[in-house]
Amino acid sequence: MEEIPLDFMDVKELYRCYMSFLKQGGLFVRTAKTYKMGQSLALNVTLPDALEPLLVSGKVAWITPHGAQNSSPAGVGVAFIDDKHHLNDQIIKLVAGLQASNEITYTL
């Protein structure tokens, strides 16, 4: 399974990538690489101000191709499958203040 490193320097970027509409959460990964729906991936995620990355496995549940009409960046959304470190819960706490904002996300 391919492992993708994701380093979030600030909470706003984390919010833009977070996919709260997925049952167990997920993250959008900006990438030019092509993946297939349902493909298994591992994300090595470093949250803002975290010292250690957290590993979560998931499956591709969203694809934004190059040249998307709404000018969104190309990439894939990875739905969390095996979240042993409760990454989703940690993300929810970090982005809680932005949930009601008008900030645009990379997915919905």
Side-chain angles (χ1 to χ4, degrees):
M1 179 179 339
E2 183 177 346
E3 187 174 304
I4 300 172
L6 284 177
D7 295 322
F8 293 100
M9 298 300 161
D10 62 58
V11 175
K12 283 189 176 185
E13 183 64 12
L14 177 62
Y15 172 75
R16 287 183 201 106
C17 292
Y18 181 55
M19 301 174 74
S20 62
F21 55 88
L22 295 173
K23 186 176 181 179
Q24 295 178 328
L27 287 170
F28 181 80
V29 179
R30 295 172 69 151
T31 181
K33 191 169 179 182
T34 303
Y35 294 96
K36 295 180 182 178
M37 289 295 285
Q39 183 174 346
S40 295
L41 295 172
L43 302 178
N44 199 6
V45 181
T46 304
L47 295 173
D49 298 326
L51 298 175
E52 298 287 327
L54 301 172
L55 190 64
V56 62
S57 62
K59 292 190 182 275
V60 174
W62 180 284
I63 298 174
T64 302
H66 291 284
Q69 284 184 326
N70 60 357
S71 300
S72 293
V76 295
V78 179
F80 298 158
I81 302 292
D82 186 14
D83 186 7
K84 294 176 187 169
H85 301 288
H86 306 284
L87 178 62
N88 190 50
D89 295 336
Q90 293 180 48
I91 293 172
I92 289 170
K93 288 177 186 173
L94 287 170
V95 302
L98 295 172
Q99 295 289 17
S101 74
N102 290 331
E103 286 282 330
I104 296 172
T105 67
Y106 296 133
T107 52
L108 293 178

